């Protein structure tokens, strides 16, 4: 699968004659621009669905020349990513051939690593879930136990994946080998926010067959920027689906999305400084992207069609927010945005696991624990009202297992607080809805961390 990336050139246009400041400030990067154009075409094929789209329509929608579109679609068909979907009548001349995306040509794994369980989904190129598995887990059990559980669960969701013998043996590293460089993985070659490490996956389904530079289907080394691919080449992952593009991992923060390193995860400070991306990529032998659970869910919602600016509030074993501003996930300079649960709303209130007192999370979870869902919703609404006043967002979306267990109570309670705020301000009340996807939204969003660059969306 070549030339399908382009996350590092999110601001580029489809025109082939673009000028001006290029990627990295050194002029136009033609390889990256070509990859971006291919990503534009792929994304239109994806959104066209089974009905498909003609080459002429692709040229009109992207601004590319018909010749450029023909070259790109020929390469995508050669790589198994696109196929004919029939013919469509035209206003004159012969009927137009329409093309469609081949969803099964590539897959991504999304992992929701929660405090007490791990949930893994396998999605195709359209983001449809084609496999799912979950298992109990203790995030405080230590790195080796957690990595082993993640590896076992990932193996279980993949076709042909296995966990036999004396232990899990995915990739080329031995069981438990999480050293930098394990399984041939060069940790120093992982620039970029999305952290796709430039791993070249040989095999069918349109992936790089080893005949040229490749990075999980991208133009190796040609994509500097937020989702830069480092051009590392690995032998094929042993036993993994050769169409696997990578693994996205979402878990509670705080953490560093750019480097894939954990900070003092709330309630589990022992993870501070742990290089999760490096460790998992070394064990699994595929690119790994790490982000906060709420950011991943917000990214998945945006990719699924949620438009505008919104806040996704996740109430489960903790409380956090994923923020989408103007269509893009807002992570902040240090992946610190969205620590919604740790805004103090009661001075000298009950202690929180973060070390502060009177946090929204502490008050909300305490109310849930004693069965007072009305109070939990009221507290959540107070925090949501602060967020609405600060960011002027369009909608508040609620998710997480606690919300999923009593959706009406939380939408009504949070909505009542926002209605009261609107009466005070004279503005329309911001609507409150339960986010689609239920308690699987985080895992599905984690897979979008991998798929996003394929379709030119970057890592959010």
């Amino acid at each position: 699968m070549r030339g399908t990336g382009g996350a590092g050139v999110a601001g580029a246009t489809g025109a082939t004659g673009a000028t001006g400041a290029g990627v990295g400030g050194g002029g136009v990067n033609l390889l990256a621009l070509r990859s971006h154009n291919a990503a534009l075409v792929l994304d239109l094929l994806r959104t066209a669905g089974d009905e498909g789209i003609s080459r002429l329509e692709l040229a009109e929608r992207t601004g590319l020349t018909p010749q450029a579109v023909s070259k790109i679609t020929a390469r995508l068909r050669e790589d198994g990513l696109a196929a004919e979907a029939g013919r469509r009548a035209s206003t004159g001349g012969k009927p137009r051939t329409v093309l469609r995306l081949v969803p099964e040509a590539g897959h991504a794994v999304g992992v929701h690593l929660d405090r007490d369980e791990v949930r893994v989904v396998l999605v195709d190129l359209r983001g449809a879930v084609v496999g799912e598995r979950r298992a109990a887990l203790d995030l405080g059990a230590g790195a080796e136990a957690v990595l082993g559980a993640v590896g076992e669960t990932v193996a279980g969701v993949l076709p042909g994946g296995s966990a036999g013998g004396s232990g899990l043996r995915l990739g080329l590293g031995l069981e438990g080998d999480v050293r930098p460089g394990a399984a041939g993985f060069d940790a120093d070659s992982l620039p970029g926010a999305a952290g796709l490490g430039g791993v070249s996956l040989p095999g069918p389904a349109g992936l790089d067959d080893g005949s040229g530079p490749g990075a999980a289907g991208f133009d190796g080394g040609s994509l500097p920027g937020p989702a830069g691919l480092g051009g590392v080449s690995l032998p094929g992952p042993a036993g993994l689906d050769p169409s696997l593009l990578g693994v996205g991992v979402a878990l509670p923060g705080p953490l560093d999305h750019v480097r894939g390193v954990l900070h003092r995860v709330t309630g589990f400070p022992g993870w501070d400084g742990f290089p999760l991306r490096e460790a998992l990529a070394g064990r699994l032998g595929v690119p790994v992207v790490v982000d906060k659970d709420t950011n991943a869910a917000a990214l998945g919602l945006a990719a699924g069609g949620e438009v505008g600016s919104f806040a996704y509030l996740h109430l489960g074993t903790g409380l956090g927010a994923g923020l989408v501003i103007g269509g893009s996930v807002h992570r902040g300079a240090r992946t610190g945005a969205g620590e919604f649960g740790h805004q103090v709303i009661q001075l000298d209130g009950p202690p929180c696991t973060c070390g502060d007192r009177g946090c929204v999370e502490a008050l909300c979870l305490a109310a849930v624990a004693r069965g007072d869902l009305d109070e939990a919703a009221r507290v959540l609404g107070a925090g949501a009202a602060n967020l609405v006043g600060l960011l002027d967002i369009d909608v508040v979306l609620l998710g997480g297992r606690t919300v999923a267990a009593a959706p009406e109570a939380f939408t009504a309670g949070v909505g009542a607080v926002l209605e009261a705020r609107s009466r005070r301000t004279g503005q329309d009340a911001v609507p409150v809805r339960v986010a689609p996807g239920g308690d699987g939204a985080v895992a599905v969003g984690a897979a979008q961390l991998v798929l996003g660059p394929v379709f030119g969306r970057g890592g959010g």
Side-chain angles (χ1 to χ4, degrees), residues 12 24 36 42 61 123 131 133 135 165 201 204 210 230 255 265 271 311 342 356 361 373 419 428:
H36 174 66
L42 264 178
R61 300 273 299 273
V123 305
R133 189 172 179 180
L201 300 180
L255 54 81
V265 175
W271 284 100
H342 301 294
D356 214 331
E361 177 177 298
L373 296 187
E419 286 278 359
D428 292 338

Side-chain angles (χ1 to χ4, degrees), residues 17-458:
T19 60
V23 177
V28 173
N29 184 319
L30 295 180
L31 286 176
L33 187 58
R34 273 203 302 272
S35 297
H36 174 66
N37 291 340
L40 289 175
V41 171
L42 264 178
D43 197 39
L44 288 173
L45 290 171
R46 179 186 65 85
T47 55
D50 291 331
E51 292 184 2
I53 185 170
S54 71
R55 291 177 180 84
L56 181 59
E57 290 173 297
L58 288 170
E60 292 172 346
R61 300 273 299 273
T62 61
L64 296 168
T65 66
Q67 293 83 356
V69 168
S70 291
K71 288 181 180 179
I72 290 170
T73 54
R75 189 165 71 248
L76 295 177
R77 291 184 64 188
E78 177 187 339
D79 289 341
L81 289 163
E84 288 191 5
R87 294 182 179 274
R88 184 179 301 162
S90 66
T91 54
K94 63 181 182 180
R96 298 172 185 168
T97 299
V98 293
L99 302 173
R100 64 173 179 84
L101 182 71
V102 179
E104 62 273 18
H107 295 88
V109 166
V111 177
H112 181 191
L113 186 56
D114 210 344
R115 293 173 175 88
D116 59 0
E117 74 168 10
V118 57
R119 183 173 190 148
V120 175
V121 297
L122 179 70
V123 305
D124 64 19
L125 288 178
R126 287 185 184 162
V129 175
V130 296
E132 182 171 4
R133 189 172 179 180
R134 61 199 303 179
L137 173 135
D138 176 7
L139 194 58
E144 182 55 33
V146 170
L147 293 178
V150 171
E152 292 277 359
T153 315
V154 169
V157 82
L158 295 173
S162 62
S166 60
L168 182 67
R169 296 181 183 272
L170 290 178
L172 302 178
L174 296 178
E175 178 188 6
D177 189 353
V178 296
R179 296 171 292 107
F185 187 84
D186 182 1
D188 294 330
S189 66
L190 293 174
L196 297 181
V199 180
S200 180
L201 300 180
L207 294 181
D208 184 5
D209 60 2
S211 60
F218 300 92
D219 281 338
S222 67
L223 299 175
L229 304 174
V232 179
S233 179
L234 280 185
L240 290 185
D241 182 351
S243 72
L244 183 62
L245 299 175
V247 175
V249 181
L251 71 161
L255 54 81
D256 185 336
H257 166 64
V258 175
R259 297 187 300 127
V261 174
L262 306 187
H263 294 319
R264 295 175 64 86
V265 175
T266 305
F268 300 90
W271 284 100
D272 190 21
F274 185 79
L276 181 63
R277 183 183 71 193
E278 174 189 313
L280 274 177
R283 178 179 288 254
L284 300 176
V286 295
V288 172
V289 192
V290 173
D291 206 347
K292 292 200 297 189
D293 46 10
T294 50
N295 288 344
L299 176 63
L301 291 169
E306 193 67 47
V307 297
S309 299
F310 63 88
Y312 168 77
L313 307 184
H314 184 93
L315 179 59
T317 59
L319 174 61
L323 306 175
V324 171
I325 309 297
S328 298
V329 175
H330 178 69
R331 296 182 174 91
R334 292 166 293 276
T335 326
E339 289 297 322
F340 170 84
H342 301 294
Q343 55 176 311
V344 174
I345 62 171
Q346 182 180 334
L347 294 177
D348 302 319
C352 180
T353 54
C354 73
D356 214 331
R357 304 183 71 90
C359 293
V360 176
E361 177 177 298
L363 295 167
C364 194
L365 291 182
V368 171
R370 62 177 182 266
D372 190 349
L373 296 187
D374 290 341
E375 174 65 8
R378 188 177 74 89
V379 171
L380 184 59
N386 290 342
L387 202 57
V388 168
L390 184 65
L391 297 177
D392 194 21
I393 52 179
D394 300 317
V395 63
V396 172
L397 301 174
L398 306 180
R401 69 175 74 164
T402 303
V403 171
E408 295 84 3
F410 281 98
T411 52
V414 173
V417 177
L418 296 185
E419 286 278 359
R421 178 186 181 277
S422 73
R423 290 194 292 272
R424 294 192 303 272
T425 63
Q427 299 171 322
D428 292 338
V430 173
V432 180
R433 293 188 274 111
V434 173
D439 58 0
V442 172
V444 172
Q448 287 295 331
L449 292 167
V450 175
L451 289 183
V454 176
F455 299 102
R457 297 193 303 268

